Amino acid sequence: MKPQDTLQFSYQALRAYPGRTALILLAMCIGVAAIILLTSLGEGARLYVIGQFQGLGSNLLIVLPGRSETTGGAPPMLGTTPRDLTLDDALALQRSPAIKDVAPIILGAAPVAYESREREVTIMGSTPALLSARQLDLALGQSLPDTNPRVATAVCLLGETVWKELFGNRPALGAWVRIGESRFRVIGVLAGKGQSLGSDMSDMVVIPVASARNLFNAPSLFRIIVTASSQGQLPQAEQDIEQIIRQRHDGENDITIIAQDSLIGTFNNILGALTWALGGIAAISLIVAGILIMNVMLVAVSQRKAEIGLLKALGAPTSQVLRLFLTEATLLASAGGAIGLLLGLGGVFVLNQAVPDFSAQPPLWALIASVLITFLTGLLFGSIPARQAARLDPVAALSGR
């Protein structure tokens, strides 16, 4: 029997049992679609998180108070606590030639009001270096004044959302807003930046760091954002930060420095592994579908004994009967996999349309794996009923035994 005859025979056999065929196609569809959708979600999460970190700016270092590592030495003496980061610590970092920008950060929340409108807003105290370090742009006005950062100045930059909600369509430049119990003059409006690591810069107000220190009565900094002069200067900048802070903190290495590249690499590995795990979980449904193929095909063999016996009586060899049933199982699995692939990609498209900020996309390995696993599932689980059909005695099969 020629290959095209084998395909035609298997196709006709599938058409003869539409209920059985539809059931197996549905099982394969669900399995493949699950692989595509789940791996797309995992890959989308990975790309989203990496994009959030990259949106913070290039050559970035984040300095946090306290040491995050655990050592095996003796416990610290009672009563000792990590020293806070201060504005003077941040200004001292500017001595390093490997460092380009230093942006001290004080963070808090306060009501912001203009005329009769008021809302609770996140307030960020910093210096003009913040815009360069965080890659922020101004839609209107000017940046924070480049004056002595220790001197409080009653000026502020409004996020785009804050500006629209407080002022509507009216101009904000030069207007005075009340932040907490103090008044600040609006000198600029930030361009829409969107979400960045859970913080929406459009829904913030930026004031000078000294003004934030007075507003929140906060002598210490929340963190320090540092950018290196270049990508190659990152190790030197990190070394200089540790050395300068150690000198200022009486020889104590009591800070944690987080490099943007290490964060991206860590999250990339974690979320990449998560994507593989999701794909493995979804692949279990294909195994279930393969078992269904095997069971249904075993039933089909018992129902088609007369047909098998007639084929053997007409001279069909055992290998030919084996190929017929293997082809039938593989056609079922492949057709179901193709439909599931289309359904999965369609589901990804619908998800991206429903959530534009989250770009779900299936990784290439998931597409290739779903095709290969589908084919192998039909071949593997179809081999058992195919062998059973090939071993049937033609006389017993024709007599229905």
Side-chain angles (χ1 to χ4, degrees):
M1 189 179 288
K2 296 180 179 179
Q4 57 267 30
D5 295 329
T6 302
L7 288 172
Q8 181 67 22
F9 184 90
S10 300
Y11 174 71
Q12 294 298 332
L14 294 178
R15 289 189 60 186
Y17 299 91
R20 184 195 73 187
T21 302
L23 186 64
I24 298 177
L25 288 177
L26 178 62
M28 296 303 300
C29 280
I30 293 174
V32 174
I35 291 179
I36 299 301
L37 285 173
L38 289 180
T39 55
S40 296
L41 289 173
E43 184 71 2
R46 184 183 71 84
L47 295 175
Y48 177 79
V49 171
I50 291 177
Q52 293 293 295
F53 278 104
Q54 290 176 339
L56 291 174
S58 59
N59 309 330
L60 190 70
L61 295 170
I62 302 174
V63 185
L64 306 174
R67 193 72 178 172
S68 63
E69 67 181 13
T70 301
T71 61
M77 296 179 60
L78 295 176
T80 62
T81 57
R83 184 174 300 183
D84 293 333
L85 287 173
T86 64
L87 180 59
D88 290 335
D89 290 335
L91 297 179
L93 299 180
Q94 296 176 338
R95 300 200 304 259
S96 170
I99 292 175
K100 177 184 177 184
D101 296 310
V102 178
I105 302 292
I106 294 179
L107 209 61
V112 179
Y114 176 73
E115 295 182 348
S116 60
R117 299 182 179 182
E118 179 178 323
R119 59 166 300 185
E120 191 82 6
V121 174
T122 300
I123 310 297
M124 180 179 289
S126 190
T127 62
L130 175 69
L131 272 67
S132 175
R134 288 292 302 270
Q135 295 186 350
L136 300 174
D137 297 319
L138 286 170
L140 298 169
Q142 60 186 14
S143 179
L144 296 175
D146 191 11
T147 57
N148 187 351
R150 298 182 179 87
V151 178
T153 309
V155 296
C156 68
L157 306 176
L158 300 182
E160 188 177 44
T161 301
V162 179
W163 165 52
K164 290 180 179 178
E165 293 193 2
L166 293 182
F167 290 88
N169 295 324
R170 292 179 293 175
L173 297 182
W176 290 83
V177 297
R178 190 179 73 254
I179 303 178
E181 300 300 326
S182 304
R183 297 174 70 244
F184 289 79
R185 184 168 61 88
V186 180
I187 61 171
V189 176
L190 295 172
K193 176 72 173 178
Q195 291 283 339
S196 180
L197 288 180
S199 61
D200 188 357
M201 295 302 299
S202 298
D203 201 24
M204 283 189 179
V205 174
V206 181
I207 63 177
V209 63
S211 302
R213 184 170 56 182
N214 296 338
L215 180 65
F216 299 114
N217 191 25
S220 60
L221 300 178
F222 173 62
R223 64 184 54 177
I224 304 173
I225 296 178
V226 177
T227 56
S229 301
S230 64
Q231 186 74 23
Q233 289 291 323
L234 272 173
Q236 183 62 48
E238 185 172 353
Q239 182 179 343
D240 290 350
I241 292 171
E242 288 187 351
Q243 181 179 354
I244 292 172
I245 298 298
R246 188 185 298 113
Q247 291 174 353
R248 294 187 51 82
H249 289 192
D250 301 326
E252 292 290 334
N253 190 11
D254 55 0
I255 60 171
T256 298
I257 303 175
I258 301 175
Q260 180 194 20
D261 288 347
S262 63
L263 279 176
I264 292 177
T266 300
F267 276 96
N268 184 56
N269 293 335
I270 292 174
L271 294 173
L274 175 63
T275 302
W276 279 94
L278 290 174
I281 293 172
I284 295 175
S285 61
L286 282 182
I287 297 177
V288 175
I291 296 173
L292 177 62
I293 289 178
M294 181 178 64
N295 290 336
V296 174
M297 292 293 293
L298 286 172
V299 174
V301 170
S302 64
Q303 292 175 340
R304 298 162 60 187
K305 284 184 177 180
E307 177 185 334
I308 299 169
L310 180 60
L311 284 172
K312 287 196 167 187
L314 292 175
T318 300
S319 59
Q320 181 62 59
V321 177
L322 181 67
R323 283 198 300 271
L324 286 173
F325 278 85
L326 276 179
T327 302
E328 186 174 334
T330 306
L331 278 178
L332 275 173
S334 300
I339 298 172
L341 184 63
L342 294 177
L343 288 177
L345 293 176
V348 172
F349 176 78
V350 172
L351 178 63
N352 288 333
Q353 295 299 312
V355 189
D357 294 336
F358 186 83
S359 179
Q361 58 181 8
L364 180 60
W365 64 262
L367 297 174
I368 298 174
S370 61
V371 174
L372 290 177
I373 293 175
T374 300
F375 179 79
L376 292 176
T377 298
L379 200 61
L380 176 64
F381 288 95
S383 63
I384 296 176
R387 288 176 182 176
Q388 181 175 329
R391 288 197 298 263
L392 286 177
D393 180 78
V395 176
L398 282 172
S399 62
R401 297 197 306 268

